[in-house]
Amino acid sequence: MDNLKKTIGQRIKLLRSARGLSQEQLAEEIGRGISSISKLERGIMMPGIDTLVLLAGSLNCSLDDLVQPLDASAKRGKNRNERMSLDQEAWAVLANLDNAELEVVISTAKAIATLQKTRQ
């Protein structure tokens, strides 16, 4: 159970940082205290399912992304650690874009996804 608390904490911190959020901002978004976020990230406290759902929504990830061990099986052909690192990098880049630039990125990503589907 302690390993799971630590895994969840590491992922919360990683995803929060990738979104460019402070602990205070995340706490406000999910209606929890800053000390709760700190305890979660340090693996001291196990979040309830309601808190996990709120975190997943706020951090734009799945519940699976929050609870799977770091050495879990591959996702979309990539090692989960690699995927988390790529997700973090993408969030960091996207956080610095204005709305117009973000719309261009989204349109481009949708076009790539559509192209991939036609190739399959």
Side-chain angles (χ1 to χ4, degrees), residues 65-77:
D65 288 331
L66 289 173
V67 300
Q68 284 297 317
L70 295 175
D71 61 350
S73 61
K75 176 179 182 179
R76 295 186 191 154

Side-chain angles (χ1 to χ4, degrees), residues 76 109-120:
R76 295 186 191 154
K110 284 180 179 179
I112 292 169
T114 300
L115 183 60
Q116 271 188 314
K117 286 180 185 176
T118 61
R119 288 183 179 168
Q120 293 176 349

Side-chain angles (χ1 to χ4, degrees), residues 11 14 17 22 29 37 40 44 50-52 59 61-62 66 70-71 76 79 81 83-84 90-93 106 120:
R11 290 184 180 254
L14 177 82
S17 296
S22 67
E29 279 192 19
I37 300 299
L40 290 172
I44 294 171
D50 57 331
T51 300
L52 285 171
L59 298 171
C61 67
S62 69
L66 289 173
L70 295 175
D71 61 350
R76 295 186 191 154
N79 175 290
N81 291 335
R83 179 60 189 216
M84 290 295 289
W91 274 111
V93 169
I106 291 169
Q120 293 176 349

